[in-house]
Amino acid sequence: MHAADPLTKIGLMTCLEESPQITLTAMAEAMTVVVAVKAVDSSALELLRGLPAPAGSRFVLVVSGGWHADPAAVAAHGIRAVLWRAEVDAAALARAVCDVVAGRAYLPPVVQGRLMDQMDRIQREVLGPRGLTASGLSSREITVLQLLSEGFTLPEIAAKLSYSERTIKNILSAVQIRLGQRNRVQAVSYAIRSGLI
């Protein structure tokens, strides 16, 4: 927990102490940290970088002001939940913390909209013209992984896509390397778990 104002910090701690599924701990040991900030901006991102939280920590921000940051930069700094201070109560704060611990995000609709607009713009203007998707894989690579996951053999995939079998093998080899997987089965499994296919 971090808040510049001691009263805010005590209030947030009290909210979290009411939740039986949350255990407060020292920040140096916490994988999820609640931080009260005036606004989501460059100074808030700088504050997060300076906190003694472990590498890979996720942040829940309680924000009293506005949003003045790039959604991609916010995600890169580990922010996974944003709550407006005027709307925060014990239940909402506990729900946000639990969502973040479970690997989910908890973002206000306006933030979700900005994030979706940015993703759309990146896909349209940057990735799409290069034949890539947000996953870093090309649509051709995703199609090959999808067909492989459906049980098609390499010769069947090659015939279906009008490529040589060697080309399909090269595509799969490149995907395995990019995804850091040892074989085709692991690559397909990773793609399914990650929601790529």
Side-chain angles (χ1 to χ4, degrees):
M1 175 82 57
H2 175 82
D5 172 34
L7 290 177
T8 299
K9 185 173 183 176
I10 291 169
L12 293 173
M13 288 177 72
T14 302
C15 286
L16 292 176
E17 287 171 343
E18 292 177 8
S19 177
Q21 66 264 41
I22 296 173
T23 303
L24 297 178
T25 184
M27 190 180 307
E29 301 168 2
M31 292 310 293
T32 303
V33 180
V34 177
V35 181
V37 296
K38 289 183 180 176
V40 181
D41 56 13
S42 58
S43 63
L45 300 181
E46 187 64 34
L47 169 70
L48 296 182
R49 278 194 294 273
L51 292 177
S57 291
R58 299 297 184 220
F59 295 97
V60 174
L61 297 188
V62 178
V63 183
S64 53
W67 183 282
H68 310 289
D70 175 44
V74 167
H77 281 78
I79 298 169
R80 294 297 181 268
V82 174
L83 298 141
W84 304 126
R85 184 174 177 168
E87 300 169 2
V88 158
D89 61 21
L93 183 58
R95 185 172 52 250
V97 169
C98 290
D99 280 350
V100 170
V101 169
R104 296 184 296 267
Y106 189 91
L107 301 170
V110 68
V111 175
Q112 292 177 38
R114 288 180 185 171
L115 189 56
M116 296 306 292
D117 288 345
Q118 184 177 37
M119 291 298 297
D120 176 51
R121 191 170 43 259
I122 289 169
Q123 182 62 44
R124 219 175 345 97
E125 298 172 8
V126 179
L127 299 174
R130 291 168 179 79
L132 296 174
T133 62
S135 67
L137 299 177
S138 70
S139 54
R140 176 173 80 163
E141 291 167 332
I142 291 173
T143 300
V144 170
L145 285 171
Q146 180 69 46
L147 292 171
L148 199 58
S149 75
E150 292 172 7
F152 287 92
T153 64
L154 295 185
E156 290 171 335
I157 294 171
K160 192 170 187 68
L161 299 178
S162 301
Y163 293 133
S164 71
E165 191 173 338
R166 186 79 205 135
T167 298
I168 299 301
K169 287 180 182 179
N170 289 339
I171 290 169
L172 287 170
S173 177
V175 168
Q176 286 169 223
I177 291 168
R178 195 168 318 119
L179 297 179
Q181 304 301 311
R182 285 185 237 145
N183 57 46
R184 295 174 195 154
V185 173
Q186 285 184 347
V188 169
S189 177
Y190 176 86
I192 291 169
R193 283 191 321 271
S194 302
L196 303 176
I197 58 173

